[in-house]
Amino acid sequence: MHGPASSGWLLVALCAAAGAYCLLRMRGSAGEERHAAGGEALMGFGMAAMAVPGTVFTPPSWAWPGYAVVFGAAGLHAVWAARTRPHHLHHLAGAAAMVYMAVVMASSPAGAHRHGGSGIPLVTGTLLLYFAGYVLLTGVRLVPAAAVPGGGTAAAGWADRPELARACRLSMGIAMVTMLLTL
């Protein structure tokens, strides 16, 4: 690492790649899986936009409230979807974290968020604990199981690979932890 700008660009690349893969999954899926992939794509691209180093681009004053509105709406959608599918509660946690970060950025003086300490410690800590636990759990789920003798290895398309979807979610979880740590 050569400083905050290079780590910011790494986060931008990671989150944009995750968002692009989620769009690919969305295109190749239907029903509930399509909606989940769409929410994850929104999260990936939103995180990529938030991670752009401030030395390169300073968002206009309306951008942070705009993020809060977009991710607030995504959170409401996640609450509605969680009625029938509890895994959408994770999408709610992600949307809440994005709203929280946008509010902190909007209320910080220019450049203050680059030095840390501008968030509410209890909220930041709670979100960090949740996402750190999520990263650990998702990482464990990526550990390959023992191979089954005679098991087929049918060729699957990019959108049909559950391990890639898990790796995408893991990457976004790690990026969320990183962004919360720098808040």
Side-chain angles (χ1 to χ4, degrees), residues 33-173:
E33 181 63 29
R34 181 181 176 92
H35 290 293
E40 291 166 2
L42 174 68
M43 184 67 64
F45 289 127
M47 290 171 63
M50 269 190 174
V52 172
T55 57
V56 174
F57 175 72
T58 303
S61 61
W62 55 265
W64 299 120
Y67 277 120
V69 168
V70 167
F71 286 101
L76 290 175
H77 183 271
V79 167
W80 183 257
R83 295 175 310 115
T84 56
R85 302 278 188 164
H87 73 273
H88 283 285
L89 291 174
H90 171 68
H91 294 169
L92 174 61
M98 294 293 282
V99 169
Y100 171 68
M101 288 189 290
V103 168
V104 168
M105 299 293 197
S107 63
S108 297
H113 62 275
R114 299 289 178 218
H115 303 292
S118 56
I120 301 169
L122 180 63
V123 176
T124 305
T126 302
L127 289 169
L128 273 170
L129 281 174
Y130 172 78
F131 283 102
Y134 178 78
V135 164
L136 292 173
L137 181 64
T138 304
V140 167
R141 289 180 179 168
L142 275 174
V143 174
V148 177
T153 57
W158 284 101
D160 301 329
R161 309 274 311 258
E163 70 277 8
L164 288 178
R166 284 189 194 114
C168 175
R169 291 181 190 117
L170 176 64
S171 299
M172 288 196 298

Side-chain angles (χ1 to χ4, degrees), residues 21 24-29 33 156-162 164-165:
Y21 175 70
L24 183 64
R25 276 185 32 234
M26 188 177 163
R27 187 174 149 231
S29 302
E33 181 63 29
W158 284 101
D160 301 329
R161 309 274 311 258
L164 288 178

